[in-house]
Amino acid sequence: MGEIIEKFISGFCRSGNCTKTVCCEYEQQTDGRLTLTESDCDFEGCPNSASCLIRKEALAP
C-alpha cells in the first residue's frame, strides 16, 4: 500500500445547484501515479456525472 494523499476540489454541483467542496483520497502507486480510492461525492450515482467538472478533476489528479 502506497502513501495516502488527500485533495480538496471545489466547483459547481449541478445536482445540488450549489458550490461544493469534495474531499478526494488518492493512493500513490510505486510508479508515482495517483489512484482515486475514496471521495465524499457519489460520482457513479450522480445523474450529471458525465458533465461534472469536479469529477473530471478528481479523476485526473
PDB file of all heavy atoms in Angstrom, residues 15-40:
ATOM      1  N   SER A  15     -26.302  18.921  -9.668  1.00  0.00           N
ATOM      2  CA  SER A  15     -27.376  18.189  -8.974  1.00  0.00           C
ATOM      3  C   SER A  15     -27.891  18.962  -7.768  1.00  0.00           C
ATOM      4  O   SER A  15     -29.092  19.006  -7.522  1.00  0.00           O
ATOM      5  CB  SER A  15     -26.882  16.818  -8.519  1.00  0.00           C
ATOM      6  OG  SER A  15     -26.611  16.013  -9.632  1.00  0.00           O
ATOM      7  N   GLY A  16     -26.978  19.547  -7.013  1.00  0.00           N
ATOM      8  CA  GLY A  16     -27.369  20.322  -5.839  1.00  0.00           C
ATOM      9  C   GLY A  16     -27.613  21.784  -6.124  1.00  0.00           C
ATOM     10  O   GLY A  16     -28.063  22.524  -5.263  1.00  0.00           O
ATOM     11  N   ASN A  17     -27.280  22.220  -7.353  1.00  0.00           N
ATOM     12  CA  ASN A  17     -27.405  23.614  -7.773  1.00  0.00           C
ATOM     13  C   ASN A  17     -26.691  24.545  -6.785  1.00  0.00           C
ATOM     14  O   ASN A  17     -27.250  25.529  -6.315  1.00  0.00           O
ATOM     15  CB  ASN A  17     -28.871  24.005  -7.934  1.00  0.00           C
ATOM     16  CG  ASN A  17     -29.037  25.311  -8.688  1.00  0.00           C
ATOM     17  OD1 ASN A  17     -28.193  25.658  -9.522  1.00  0.00           O
ATOM     18  ND2 ASN A  17     -30.108  26.024  -8.425  1.00  0.00           N
ATOM     19  N   CYS A  18     -25.437  24.157  -6.457  1.00  0.00           N
ATOM     20  CA  CYS A  18     -24.672  24.923  -5.482  1.00  0.00           C
ATOM     21  C   CYS A  18     -23.173  24.684  -5.676  1.00  0.00           C
ATOM     22  O   CYS A  18     -22.765  23.795  -6.400  1.00  0.00           O
ATOM     23  CB  CYS A  18     -25.060  24.518  -4.060  1.00  0.00           C
ATOM     24  SG  CYS A  18     -24.729  22.789  -3.689  1.00  0.00           S
ATOM     25  N   THR A  19     -22.389  25.495  -5.006  1.00  0.00           N
ATOM     26  CA  THR A  19     -20.945  25.290  -4.983  1.00  0.00           C
ATOM     27  C   THR A  19     -20.647  24.215  -3.954  1.00  0.00           C
ATOM     28  O   THR A  19     -21.240  24.197  -2.883  1.00  0.00           O
ATOM     29  CB  THR A  19     -20.221  26.590  -4.606  1.00  0.00           C
ATOM     30  OG1 THR A  19     -20.581  27.595  -5.557  1.00  0.00           O
ATOM     31  CG2 THR A  19     -18.722  26.411  -4.622  1.00  0.00           C
ATOM     32  N   LYS A  20     -19.721  23.312  -4.289  1.00  0.00           N
ATOM     33  CA  LYS A  20     -19.424  22.187  -3.412  1.00  0.00           C
ATOM     34  C   LYS A  20     -17.921  21.960  -3.336  1.00  0.00           C
ATOM     35  O   LYS A  20     -17.214  22.153  -4.315  1.00  0.00           O
ATOM     36  CB  LYS A  20     -20.108  20.931  -3.969  1.00  0.00           C
ATOM     37  CG  LYS A  20     -20.026  19.722  -3.102  1.00  0.00           C
ATOM     38  CD  LYS A  20     -20.909  18.622  -3.670  1.00  0.00           C
ATOM     39  CE  LYS A  20     -20.920  17.453  -2.702  1.00  0.00           C
ATOM     40  NZ  LYS A  20     -21.826  16.402  -3.150  1.00  0.00           N
ATOM     41  N   THR A  21     -17.449  21.564  -2.169  1.00  0.00           N
ATOM     42  CA  THR A  21     -16.059  21.154  -1.988  1.00  0.00           C
ATOM     43  C   THR A  21     -16.068  19.662  -1.706  1.00  0.00           C
ATOM     44  O   THR A  21     -16.744  19.204  -0.782  1.00  0.00           O
ATOM     45  CB  THR A  21     -15.392  21.913  -0.836  1.00  0.00           C
ATOM     46  OG1 THR A  21     -15.412  23.314  -1.140  1.00  0.00           O
ATOM     47  CG2 THR A  21     -13.944  21.474  -0.662  1.00  0.00           C
ATOM     48  N   VAL A  22     -15.333  18.907  -2.512  1.00  0.00           N
ATOM     49  CA  VAL A  22     -15.296  17.452  -2.400  1.00  0.00           C
ATOM     50  C   VAL A  22     -13.913  17.036  -1.913  1.00  0.00           C
ATOM     51  O   VAL A  22     -12.898  17.481  -2.452  1.00  0.00           O
ATOM     52  CB  VAL A  22     -15.606  16.794  -3.767  1.00  0.00           C
ATOM     53  CG1 VAL A  22     -15.475  15.283  -3.694  1.00  0.00           C
ATOM     54  CG2 VAL A  22     -16.991  17.193  -4.243  1.00  0.00           C
ATOM     55  N   CYS A  23     -13.882  16.172  -0.913  1.00  0.00           N
ATOM     56  CA  CYS A  23     -12.630  15.623  -0.409  1.00  0.00           C
ATOM     57  C   CYS A  23     -12.361  14.315  -1.152  1.00  0.00           C
ATOM     58  O   CYS A  23     -13.204  13.413  -1.165  1.00  0.00           O
ATOM     59  CB  CYS A  23     -12.723  15.364   1.088  1.00  0.00           C
ATOM     60  SG  CYS A  23     -11.222  14.633   1.766  1.00  0.00           S
ATOM     61  N   CYS A  24     -11.200  14.224  -1.777  1.00  0.00           N
ATOM     62  CA  CYS A  24     -10.809  13.023  -2.511  1.00  0.00           C
ATOM     63  C   CYS A  24      -9.564  12.428  -1.862  1.00  0.00           C
ATOM     64  O   CYS A  24      -8.660  13.153  -1.465  1.00  0.00           O
ATOM     65  CB  CYS A  24     -10.499  13.354  -3.967  1.00  0.00           C
ATOM     66  SG  CYS A  24     -11.920  13.967  -4.879  1.00  0.00           S
ATOM     67  N   GLU A  25      -9.538  11.120  -1.781  1.00  0.00           N
ATOM     68  CA  GLU A  25      -8.403  10.411  -1.208  1.00  0.00           C
ATOM     69  C   GLU A  25      -7.771   9.563  -2.315  1.00  0.00           C
ATOM     70  O   GLU A  25      -8.459   8.804  -2.995  1.00  0.00           O
ATOM     71  CB  GLU A  25      -8.877   9.530  -0.062  1.00  0.00           C
ATOM     72  CG  GLU A  25      -7.773   8.986   0.781  1.00  0.00           C
ATOM     73  CD  GLU A  25      -8.304   8.258   1.999  1.00  0.00           C
ATOM     74  OE1 GLU A  25      -8.605   8.933   3.001  1.00  0.00           O
ATOM     75  OE2 GLU A  25      -8.433   7.024   1.925  1.00  0.00           O
ATOM     76  N   TYR A  26      -6.473   9.720  -2.467  1.00  0.00           N
ATOM     77  CA  TYR A  26      -5.728   9.007  -3.503  1.00  0.00           C
ATOM     78  C   TYR A  26      -4.653   8.145  -2.864  1.00  0.00           C
ATOM     79  O   TYR A  26      -4.103   8.496  -1.822  1.00  0.00           O
ATOM     80  CB  TYR A  26      -5.029   9.996  -4.447  1.00  0.00           C
ATOM     81  CG  TYR A  26      -5.960  10.899  -5.195  1.00  0.00           C
ATOM     82  CD1 TYR A  26      -6.335  12.120  -4.660  1.00  0.00           C
ATOM     83  CD2 TYR A  26      -6.452  10.545  -6.433  1.00  0.00           C
ATOM     84  CE1 TYR A  26      -7.190  12.966  -5.345  1.00  0.00           C
ATOM     85  CE2 TYR A  26      -7.320  11.385  -7.133  1.00  0.00           C
ATOM     86  CZ  TYR A  26      -7.675  12.591  -6.576  1.00  0.00           C
ATOM     87  OH  TYR A  26      -8.516  13.430  -7.257  1.00  0.00           O
ATOM     88  N   GLU A  27      -4.333   7.036  -3.519  1.00  0.00           N
ATOM     89  CA  GLU A  27      -3.194   6.226  -3.114  1.00  0.00           C
ATOM     90  C   GLU A  27      -2.108   6.424  -4.157  1.00  0.00           C
ATOM     91  O   GLU A  27      -2.349   6.285  -5.357  1.00  0.00           O
ATOM     92  CB  GLU A  27      -3.564   4.753  -3.029  1.00  0.00           C
ATOM     93  CG  GLU A  27      -2.413   3.893  -2.565  1.00  0.00           C
ATOM     94  CD  GLU A  27      -2.778   2.420  -2.452  1.00  0.00           C
ATOM     95  OE1 GLU A  27      -3.965   2.083  -2.533  1.00  0.00           O
ATOM     96  OE2 GLU A  27      -1.859   1.620  -2.291  1.00  0.00           O
ATOM     97  N   GLN A  28      -0.916   6.778  -3.696  1.00  0.00           N
ATOM     98  CA  GLN A  28       0.203   6.975  -4.615  1.00  0.00           C
ATOM     99  C   GLN A  28       0.855   5.625  -4.885  1.00  0.00           C
ATOM    100  O   GLN A  28       1.281   4.925  -3.967  1.00  0.00           O
ATOM    101  CB  GLN A  28       1.224   7.953  -4.053  1.00  0.00           C
ATOM    102  CG  GLN A  28       2.290   8.300  -5.067  1.00  0.00           C
ATOM    103  CD  GLN A  28       3.097   9.513  -4.650  1.00  0.00           C
ATOM    104  OE1 GLN A  28       3.168   9.860  -3.485  1.00  0.00           O
ATOM    105  NE2 GLN A  28       3.696  10.149  -5.614  1.00  0.00           N
ATOM    106  N   GLN A  29       0.907   5.247  -6.156  1.00  0.00           N
ATOM    107  CA  GLN A  29       1.499   3.983  -6.567  1.00  0.00           C
ATOM    108  C   GLN A  29       3.024   4.085  -6.561  1.00  0.00           C
ATOM    109  O   GLN A  29       3.581   5.182  -6.508  1.00  0.00           O
ATOM    110  CB  GLN A  29       0.999   3.604  -7.970  1.00  0.00           C
ATOM    111  CG  GLN A  29      -0.511   3.580  -8.114  1.00  0.00           C
ATOM    112  CD  GLN A  29      -1.175   2.571  -7.206  1.00  0.00           C
ATOM    113  OE1 GLN A  29      -0.700   1.455  -7.048  1.00  0.00           O
ATOM    114  NE2 GLN A  29      -2.280   2.971  -6.580  1.00  0.00           N
ATOM    115  N   THR A  30       3.697   2.954  -6.649  1.00  0.00           N
ATOM    116  CA  THR A  30       5.162   2.948  -6.623  1.00  0.00           C
ATOM    117  C   THR A  30       5.757   3.675  -7.824  1.00  0.00           C
ATOM    118  O   THR A  30       6.858   4.195  -7.750  1.00  0.00           O
ATOM    119  CB  THR A  30       5.706   1.505  -6.585  1.00  0.00           C
ATOM    120  OG1 THR A  30       5.142   0.765  -7.670  1.00  0.00           O
ATOM    121  CG2 THR A  30       5.366   0.829  -5.272  1.00  0.00           C
ATOM    122  N   ASP A  31       5.000   3.736  -8.928  1.00  0.00           N
ATOM    123  CA  ASP A  31       5.491   4.447 -10.116  1.00  0.00           C
ATOM    124  C   ASP A  31       5.125   5.932 -10.101  1.00  0.00           C
ATOM    125  O   ASP A  31       5.364   6.654 -11.067  1.00  0.00           O
ATOM    126  CB  ASP A  31       4.992   3.782 -11.398  1.00  0.00           C
ATOM    127  CG  ASP A  31       3.472   3.808 -11.528  1.00  0.00           C
ATOM    128  OD1 ASP A  31       2.789   4.354 -10.637  1.00  0.00           O
ATOM    129  OD2 ASP A  31       2.962   3.271 -12.525  1.00  0.00           O
ATOM    130  N   GLY A  32       4.509   6.405  -9.005  1.00  0.00           N
ATOM    131  CA  GLY A  32       4.179   7.822  -8.868  1.00  0.00           C
ATOM    132  C   GLY A  32       2.755   8.184  -9.242  1.00  0.00           C
ATOM    133  O   GLY A  32       2.295   9.284  -8.950  1.00  0.00           O
ATOM    134  N   ARG A  33       2.046   7.281  -9.914  1.00  0.00           N
ATOM    135  CA  ARG A  33       0.657   7.566 -10.304  1.00  0.00           C
ATOM    136  C   ARG A  33      -0.232   7.659  -9.067  1.00  0.00           C
ATOM    137  O   ARG A  33       0.017   7.005  -8.062  1.00  0.00           O
ATOM    138  CB  ARG A  33       0.099   6.462 -11.205  1.00  0.00           C
ATOM    139  CG  ARG A  33       0.653   6.435 -12.585  1.00  0.00           C
ATOM    140  CD  ARG A  33       0.033   5.324 -13.440  1.00  0.00           C
ATOM    141  NE  ARG A  33       0.172   4.009 -12.809  1.00  0.00           N
ATOM    142  CZ  ARG A  33      -0.856   3.262 -12.376  1.00  0.00           C
ATOM    143  NH1 ARG A  33      -2.090   3.685 -12.502  1.00  0.00           N
ATOM    144  NH2 ARG A  33      -0.651   2.090 -11.814  1.00  0.00           N
ATOM    145  N   LEU A  34      -1.288   8.459  -9.166  1.00  0.00           N
ATOM    146  CA  LEU A  34      -2.279   8.566  -8.098  1.00  0.00           C
ATOM    147  C   LEU A  34      -3.549   7.856  -8.539  1.00  0.00           C
ATOM    148  O   LEU A  34      -4.021   8.047  -9.661  1.00  0.00           O
ATOM    149  CB  LEU A  34      -2.594  10.021  -7.785  1.00  0.00           C
ATOM    150  CG  LEU A  34      -1.465  10.866  -7.212  1.00  0.00           C
ATOM    151  CD1 LEU A  34      -1.927  12.302  -7.023  1.00  0.00           C
ATOM    152  CD2 LEU A  34      -0.970  10.293  -5.906  1.00  0.00           C
ATOM    153  N   THR A  35      -4.113   7.038  -7.643  1.00  0.00           N
ATOM    154  CA  THR A  35      -5.347   6.328  -7.918  1.00  0.00           C
ATOM    155  C   THR A  35      -6.399   6.795  -6.918  1.00  0.00           C
ATOM    156  O   THR A  35      -6.178   6.735  -5.703  1.00  0.00           O
ATOM    157  CB  THR A  35      -5.136   4.800  -7.761  1.00  0.00           C
ATOM    158  OG1 THR A  35      -4.102   4.397  -8.654  1.00  0.00           O
ATOM    159  CG2 THR A  35      -6.405   4.042  -8.096  1.00  0.00           C
ATOM    160  N   LEU A  36      -7.537   7.270  -7.426  1.00  0.00           N
ATOM    161  CA  LEU A  36      -8.626   7.718  -6.561  1.00  0.00           C
ATOM    162  C   LEU A  36      -9.196   6.509  -5.822  1.00  0.00           C
ATOM    163  O   LEU A  36      -9.612   5.531  -6.454  1.00  0.00           O
ATOM    164  CB  LEU A  36      -9.726   8.392  -7.385  1.00  0.00           C
ATOM    165  CG  LEU A  36     -10.928   8.926  -6.632  1.00  0.00           C
ATOM    166  CD1 LEU A  36     -10.535  10.059  -5.698  1.00  0.00           C
ATOM    167  CD2 LEU A  36     -11.999   9.401  -7.601  1.00  0.00           C
ATOM    168  N   THR A  37      -9.185   6.555  -4.495  1.00  0.00           N
ATOM    169  CA  THR A  37      -9.700   5.447  -3.695  1.00  0.00           C
ATOM    170  C   THR A  37     -11.015   5.792  -3.010  1.00  0.00           C
ATOM    171  O   THR A  37     -11.842   4.913  -2.799  1.00  0.00           O
ATOM    172  CB  THR A  37      -8.676   5.001  -2.626  1.00  0.00           C
ATOM    173  OG1 THR A  37      -8.326   6.125  -1.820  1.00  0.00           O
ATOM    174  CG2 THR A  37      -7.445   4.425  -3.270  1.00  0.00           C
ATOM    175  N   GLU A  38     -11.221   7.072  -2.660  1.00  0.00           N
ATOM    176  CA  GLU A  38     -12.454   7.499  -1.989  1.00  0.00           C
ATOM    177  C   GLU A  38     -12.744   8.954  -2.286  1.00  0.00           C
ATOM    178  O   GLU A  38     -11.831   9.732  -2.540  1.00  0.00           O
ATOM    179  CB  GLU A  38     -12.315   7.369  -0.466  1.00  0.00           C
ATOM    180  CG  GLU A  38     -12.531   6.002   0.080  1.00  0.00           C
ATOM    181  CD  GLU A  38     -12.573   6.024   1.597  1.00  0.00           C
ATOM    182  OE1 GLU A  38     -13.340   6.836   2.161  1.00  0.00           O
ATOM    183  OE2 GLU A  38     -11.840   5.238   2.198  1.00  0.00           O
ATOM    184  N   SER A  39     -14.022   9.292  -2.233  1.00  0.00           N
ATOM    185  CA  SER A  39     -14.423  10.703  -2.294  1.00  0.00           C
ATOM    186  C   SER A  39     -15.738  10.839  -1.538  1.00  0.00           C
ATOM    187  O   SER A  39     -16.465   9.854  -1.374  1.00  0.00           O
ATOM    188  CB  SER A  39     -14.571  11.189  -3.734  1.00  0.00           C
ATOM    189  OG  SER A  39     -15.755  10.696  -4.304  1.00  0.00           O
ATOM    190  N   ASP A  40     -16.045  12.048  -1.090  1.00  0.00           N
ATOM    191  CA  ASP A  40     -17.305  12.240  -0.373  1.00  0.00           C
ATOM    192  C   ASP A  40     -18.416  12.718  -1.310  1.00  0.00           C
ATOM    193  O   ASP A  40     -19.361  13.359  -0.894  1.00  0.00           O
ATOM    194  CB  ASP A  40     -17.136  13.162   0.836  1.00  0.00           C
ATOM    195  CG  ASP A  40     -16.717  14.570   0.479  1.00  0.00           C
ATOM    196  OD1 ASP A  40     -16.419  14.818  -0.706  1.00  0.00           O
ATOM    197  OD2 ASP A  40     -16.679  15.417   1.378  1.00  0.00           O
TER     198      ASP A  40
END
